[in-house]
């Protein structure tokens, strides 16, 4: 029998899961709620509008422009239900107009979006008064729209109005106030009012830290906590000439999920970021430089300039550089980085050899002109680069850039990547304490024997057996797991016994599944234990992160798309890597 209470409970759970950025759960529960409500009260009942709006938000927030038509269908259905049940001027209709405005904003239909925001704002102010979080939310949406147009004076005005409309009562959501303060700080920075920007952004990151403290420690909290706002604070401090403070704040907001796992930073008595610069400089050799590129944490402005870069050497002050766009902005993609990375990914997956590399070469030079040419004065005598910019460099190799003399950066520098400056220093310190020693054993897993009846039809990776044998021949002690032995059960047995922590090298050459909505469900696809045991053949990122004890010097994921996942402003790509 249809049960209204069960359907409403499913909808409430869906809203909670969405608030925690648990996308798959929110989507599944919202669909279940929609079906249950339809059975209990009929398809035309206004209760279904809540489910339709939530389904639209899931698609909009986690699919973006490719999901525009599907999200629009959900929002249109909700709006029609609201109008029929409540009339054309109601709070429900205002909520639907607000959601539609956000969708049109993402589709760059700014005129229509702003008009919808204004209609929603008029109704909300008339019904709720000047101070209400829904009023503040619509003003904030209008500010985000104007930010996308680069109208920073309007952004500052609208965000001040939004903050004035935000209730100040105890228990008011600090996260939304933090978001509004963050965009206000960004606007003030763009307007050259950096002292005011620093003040607003310091309050914003404090509020976002309170969100981080209250949310579960999973990939969802990384997305919603907004710790990438530290980057905006770092840029404002850099513009004021406070380079060391800027570097510390940048580091404080980088790769927090991974830092918590590795360093147990949740204790209020521990502040590992304070005084991080001397530790980083002590870890750097004279011919090394640690380089970070920084852009605004607000994803809608992903391609907006100026960007900033900082260079840290073993001695001397942190050097900060303001980077401007060269040439006209691209229309189809935000930046030359997006264009180059996209082209490299496309050509690497195309089944034919690409003969004409001219367009890629030109993009590689232009990206060097924007990213590297301004910082070259800080790289004198450098032969090794340590790059800390997980959100910007994921998806493509910096070694593929070319300078104005036609040299690949991979010819000029040995380039390595670190999740954050703090974790770089920590690992260098651990290595120094351990001292030189014999190479520990290697565990090499590859060429799994997939089930012939696997519906996904994974092909054997025959070349990976030679890859593993080549590595094994160069290693003092190596364990090979190939074919039917390359099973998840084999790895789980090693993990359960504690043997995994004894390997210095872990190398996996296997297919991978990437989950952009549940990044810790990304998996290495290994050989099944037996017929019909497909699910057990997956080694998921969540299992490794939560239950395995590793102490490897190097882990290599030699599988397609293993670096991809769910992008976040503070931790880069979340997933297998």
């Amino acid at each position: 029998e249809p049960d209204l209470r069960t359907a409403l409970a499913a909808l409430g759970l869906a809203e909670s899961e969405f608030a925690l950025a648990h996308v798959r759960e929110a989507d599944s529960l919202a669909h279940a709620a929609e079906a249950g409500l339809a059975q209990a009260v009929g398809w035309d009942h206004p209760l279904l509008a809540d489910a339709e709006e939530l389904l639209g938000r899931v698609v909009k927030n986690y699919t973006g422009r490719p999901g525009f038509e599907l999200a629009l269908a959900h929002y249109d259905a909700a709006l029609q239900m609201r109008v029929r049940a409540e009339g054309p001027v109601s709070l429900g209709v205002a909520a639907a107009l607000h959601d539609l405005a956000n969708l049109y904003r993402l589709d760059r239909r700014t005129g229509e979006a702003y008009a919808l925001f204004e209609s929603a704002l008029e109704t909300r102010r008339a019904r709720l008064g000047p101070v209400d979080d829904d009023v503040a939310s619509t003003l904030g949406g209008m500010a985000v729209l104007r930010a996308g147009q680069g109208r920073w004076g309007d952004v500052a005005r609208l965000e001040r109005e939004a903050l004035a409309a935000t209730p100040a009562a105890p228990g008011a959501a600090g996260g939304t106030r933090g978001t509004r303060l963050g965009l206000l700080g960004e606007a003030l920075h763009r307007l050259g009012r950096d002292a005011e920007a620093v003040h607003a952004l310091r309050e914003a990151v404090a509020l976002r830290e309170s969100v981080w403290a209250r949310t579960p420690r999973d990939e969802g909290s990384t997305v919603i906590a907004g710790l990438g706002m530290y980057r905006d604070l770092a840029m404002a401090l850099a513009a004021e000439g406070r380079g060391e403070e800027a570097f510390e704040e940048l580091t404080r907001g980088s790769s927090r999920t991974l830092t918590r796992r590795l360093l147990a930073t949740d204790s209020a008595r521990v502040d590992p970021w304070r005084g991080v610069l001397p530790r980083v400089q002590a870890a750097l050799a004279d011919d090394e430089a640690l380089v970070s590129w920084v852009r605004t944490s607000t994803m809608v402005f992903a391609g907006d300039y100026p960007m900033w870069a900082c260079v840290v050497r073993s001695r001397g002050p942190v050097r900060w550089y303001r980077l401007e766009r060269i040439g006209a902005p691209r229309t189809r993609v935000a930046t030359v980085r997006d264009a180059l990375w996209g082209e490299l990914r496309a050509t690497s997956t195309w089944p034919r050899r690409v003969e004409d590399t001219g367009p890629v070469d030109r993009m590689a030079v232009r990206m060097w002109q924007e990213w590297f040419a301004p910082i070259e004065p800080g790289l004198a005598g450098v032969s090794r680069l340590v790059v800390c910019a997980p959100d910007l460099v994921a998806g493509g190799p910096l070694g593929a850039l070319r300078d104005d003399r036609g040299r690949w950066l991979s010819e000029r520098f040995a380039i390595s990547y670190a999740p954050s400056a703090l974790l770089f220093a920590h690992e260098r310190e651990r290595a120094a304490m351990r001292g030189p020693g014999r190479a520990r054993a290697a565990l090499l897993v590859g060429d799994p024997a997939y089930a012939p009846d696997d519906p996904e039809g994974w092909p054997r990776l025959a070349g990976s057996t030679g890859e593993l044998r080549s590595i094994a021949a160069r290693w003092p002690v190596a364990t090979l797991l190939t074919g039917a032995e390359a099973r998840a059960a084999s790895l789980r047995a090693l993990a359960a016994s504690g043997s995994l922590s004894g390997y210095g090298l872990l190398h996996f050459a296997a297919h991978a599944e990437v989950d952009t909505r549940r990044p810790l469900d990304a998996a290495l696809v290994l050989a099944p234990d037996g017929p019909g045991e497909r699910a057990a053949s997956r080694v998921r990122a969540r299992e490794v992160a939560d239950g395995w004890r590793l102490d490897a010097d190097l882990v290599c994921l030699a599988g397609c798309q293993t670096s991809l996942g769910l992008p976040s402003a503070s931790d880069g790509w979340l997933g297998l890597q």
Side-chain angles (χ1 to χ4, degrees), residues 490-515:
S490 303
L491 294 173
R492 291 185 180 114
L494 291 170
S497 69
S499 300
L500 269 182
S501 61
Y503 289 103
L505 168 66
L506 301 175
H507 186 99
F508 300 96
H511 289 295
E513 291 178 334
V514 177
D515 192 324

Side-chain angles (χ1 to χ4, degrees), residues 67-97:
F68 175 82
E69 294 298 334
L70 179 57
L72 182 61
H74 286 302
Y75 283 147
D76 273 343
L79 179 60
Q80 292 171 26
M81 292 175 191
R82 300 285 192 204
V83 170
R84 284 196 299 268
E86 305 167 7
V89 182
S90 68
L91 289 176
V93 169
L97 293 176

Side-chain angles (χ1 to χ4, degrees), residues 444-445 462-473 507-510 556-558:
L444 312 174
V445 183
S464 63
T465 296
E467 172 185 327
L468 300 184
R469 288 174 179 166
S470 177
I471 297 170
H507 186 99
F508 300 96
C556 182
L557 301 178

Side-chain angles (χ1 to χ4, degrees), residues 6-25:
T6 301
L8 291 174
L11 183 59
L13 278 172
E15 293 278 5
S16 297
E17 295 287 11
F18 180 78
L20 292 170
H22 296 164
V23 184
R24 181 176 293 175
E25 292 91 337

